[in-house]
Amino acid sequence: MEKRFVYADNAATTRVRPEVLAKMLPYFTEHYGNPSSLYSIGRDSAVAIMQARKTVAECLNCDPNEIIFTSGGSESDNMAIFGIARKRGRGHIITSSIEHHAVLHTVQELEKEGFDVTYLDVDSNGIISLEQLENSIREDTILITVMYANNEIGSIQPVKEIGAIARRHKIPFHTDAVQAAGHLKIDVQQENIDMLSLSAHKFGGPKGTGVLYVRRGVNPKNFILGGGQERGKRAGTENIAGIVGTACALSMALENVDIVSERVSAMRDRLIDGILEKIPYTRLNGGREHRLPGNVNISVEYIEGESLILMLDLNGICASSGSACTTGSLDPSHVLLALGLTHEVAHGSLRLTINDETTDEDIDYILQVMPVVVDRLRAMSPVWENRPDNK
C-alpha cells in the first residue's frame, strides 16, 4: 500500500484557500494603513473593512452594522455571554451539556460570580429536548446559548425552534456556529438568532479572525475596552487582512454550499459504513441525520484513541480524538459521556472531518489503513485479549 497524505481534521482547522490568501496579502504590505487614520491609505483600509462587513452580513442575512469582527470564535462566545450577563448583573442562563469549552468555561466562571446555569441534556444523537428547554425557562432567565452544530459529533441542533422559544419568552438567544458557518446556510432572521459566533479558520479563512453577529437592540456590555473601533463595541486596531480574508472565505464557502454538502455527505457516509463494516466493535457517535456533512465520529473499543491517532499519523492520516482545544487531556470527552458512553468506550473515540478538498481516493486510503492499524493496536492490548466474548 503506497503511503499518501490525507488531512481529515478540518473541524480543527482548514487550509487557507489560495484565493483568500491572495485577497489578504496586499493588506500586509501595500494597504497597511490604520483604518482610524484620516489619510488615504488609512481610508483604504476603512473601506476594505466596510466592504467585508457588507459581505459577511449578506452571507448571514443581517445588517452590516450588526457585524462585529473579533479574534475568533472563543472571543465571540465570551463577548456574547459575558456581555449579556454583566449587563444584567445576575440571573439564570440556559446552555447544553455538549457545548464547546469556550461556552462551558464561560458560564462556569459566571456560576462563580453567582449566576445560575441550567445544562440541558442531549439524546443519543446529541440533540437537546425542546420540551426540557421550555421547562427550564425561569422568570430570571437572561440568556439561552446553544451551539448550532457540535464540534465533536457534528449534531445539528433545532436552532430555529430554539430561537422561536427564546423570542416568545423575550430572552436573548446566542448560538456558537463555529462548526456550522461556511458549511450550512445560516439565516439569522429566519432562524430567530440574536447573537452568533463564527471563526474564519473553520471554512478556509485565516486563524485569529472571527465574527460576532449581534441583533440590533440586544446590546451586550462591551468586553474589550480601549479605542472606539467596531463602532465602539470592540476596542483594538482592526486585523484588516484577517477581516478581508474572513469575508472572502465565507462568501466562497457558501457559493456552492448545497452541491458541496451533497458530495461531502456522500463521502462521509461511505467512510462511516466502511469503518463499521471492516472493523468490529465500533460504533458511530451521534445520529446519521441532522449531522454536519463532513463529520465522522467513531468509537473503537479495546484501544486508546490517542494511540490510534498517532498510528494513523505514521501512515500520513491526520485525525483527532475530539476538540482540538482539549488535545492532550487525559479526561474522556464530555460530549461522548453526555451521549451515555462509558469512560472506556469514550477513550477510544476517533474524529475524522472531511471537506470539499477531500477526494474519493482519500476515503479509500483511510478505509485501507485504519483496519490494519486497529488490528495492530488490539494485538498489543491485554484488554482485547480479555474481552468478555473471548473467554
Side-chain angles (χ1 to χ4, degrees):
M1 184 192 329
E2 185 178 349
K3 182 178 175 180
R4 61 185 289 143
F5 175 77
V6 176
Y7 184 73
D9 198 20
N10 288 280
T13 197
T14 57
R15 183 176 71 94
V16 174
R17 295 177 183 272
E19 301 91 335
V20 173
L21 180 60
K23 285 272 189 181
M24 293 173 62
L25 284 176
Y27 294 93
F28 289 109
T29 57
E30 185 179 348
H31 305 297
Y32 56 86
N34 189 316
S36 297
S37 302
L38 295 178
Y39 41 74
S40 59
I41 62 170
R43 293 197 303 271
D44 290 344
S45 295
V47 169
I49 293 173
M50 179 183 67
Q51 291 173 338
R53 203 183 309 277
K54 280 187 62 176
T55 298
V56 172
E58 288 169 2
C59 291
L60 298 177
N61 188 28
C62 66
D63 188 278
N65 288 326
E66 297 174 315
I67 296 297
I68 301 169
F69 290 110
T70 69
S71 66
S74 293
E75 184 194 326
S76 295
D77 287 342
N78 277 253
M79 189 173 176
I81 297 167
F82 279 136
I84 291 296
R86 288 175 176 159
K87 183 179 181 182
R88 298 292 294 272
R90 64 183 64 186
H92 172 238
I93 297 168
I94 299 174
T95 189
S96 84
S97 59
I98 63 168
E99 296 295 307
H100 188 277
H101 284 111
V103 170
L104 289 180
H105 288 171
T106 303
V107 297
Q108 287 164 5
E109 186 65 26
L110 288 171
E111 284 185 288
K112 297 175 186 176
E113 298 177 14
F115 290 82
D116 289 337
V117 179
T118 295
Y119 298 89
L120 301 174
D121 300 323
V122 294
D123 62 19
S124 60
N125 294 326
I127 307 295
I128 69 160
S129 161
L130 294 174
E131 182 180 3
Q132 186 190 13
L133 170 61
E134 186 90 52
N135 293 337
S136 298
I137 293 173
R138 307 182 338 198
E139 286 188 7
D140 64 338
T141 302
I142 60 170
L143 176 67
I144 296 170
T145 175
V146 176
M147 68 195 330
Y148 202 114
N150 186 262
N151 52 300
E152 293 191 36
I153 59 173
S155 54
I156 301 171
Q157 300 295 342
V159 170
K160 183 177 182 179
E161 290 79 4
I162 295 170
I165 291 171
R167 193 69 54 89
R168 190 163 64 247
H169 290 273
K170 296 181 172 57
I171 301 168
F173 169 46
H174 165 255
T175 187
D176 177 340
V178 166
Q179 291 294 331
H183 306 288
L184 302 173
K185 287 181 178 177
I186 297 176
D187 186 323
V188 295
Q189 304 301 327
Q190 292 294 319
E191 296 177 90
N192 306 301
I193 297 168
D194 296 311
M195 296 183 290
L196 176 144
S197 305
L198 63 81
S199 188
H201 76 104
K202 304 295 187 177
F203 48 79
K207 297 175 183 66
T209 313
V211 169
L212 177 65
Y213 154 75
V214 181
R215 183 172 62 83
R216 184 182 286 107
V218 175
N219 297 324
K221 188 174 181 179
N222 288 1
F223 183 64
I224 298 178
L225 305 177
Q229 293 88 354
E230 294 300 287
R231 302 176 317 286
K233 298 295 184 182
R234 195 264 188 187
T237 301
E238 298 91 340
N239 176 1
I240 308 156
I243 288 169
V244 168
T246 297
C248 179
L250 185 58
S251 179
M252 286 186 64
L254 294 175
E255 277 179 7
N256 300 299
V257 68
D258 290 335
I259 296 171
V260 170
S261 177
E262 184 177 357
R263 176 180 167 271
V264 173
S265 295
M267 287 192 295
R268 174 203 67 194
D269 291 343
R270 187 162 75 86
L271 184 54
I272 292 171
D273 291 338
I275 292 172
L276 297 180
E277 178 185 336
K278 291 173 178 286
I279 306 173
Y281 302 99
T282 53
R283 58 157 284 162
L284 176 67
N285 297 317
R288 289 198 179 238
E289 295 185 6
H290 309 297
R291 188 183 197 101
L292 286 173
N295 178 282
V296 176
N297 190 300
I298 300 283
S299 283
V300 184
E301 294 189 55
Y302 307 113
I303 64 168
E304 286 288 330
E306 287 78 7
S307 300
L308 178 57
I309 292 162
L310 291 172
M311 290 286 283
L312 290 174
D313 181 44
L314 290 174
N315 286 274
I317 299 170
C318 301
S320 71
S321 58
S323 172
C325 300
T326 55
T327 299
S329 171
L330 297 177
D331 296 325
S333 160
H334 69 285
V335 175
L336 299 184
L337 294 181
L339 297 185
L341 273 65
T342 64
H343 280 63
E344 293 76 20
V345 174
H347 267 302
S349 66
L350 176 74
R351 184 184 70 177
L352 298 158
T353 45
I354 60 177
N355 68 3
D356 59 318
E357 295 188 343
T358 307
T359 66
D360 287 322
E361 290 75 21
D362 292 335
I363 302 299
D364 292 337
Y365 184 68
I366 295 172
L367 292 175
Q368 283 181 307
V369 169
M370 192 169 160
V372 176
V373 168
V374 171
D375 284 346
R376 187 175 305 163
L377 289 171
R378 283 176 172 169
M380 297 184 289
S381 170
V383 180
W384 171 249
E385 289 298 321
N386 297 325
R387 68 189 187 277
D389 62 349
N390 197 38
K391 293 179 180 178

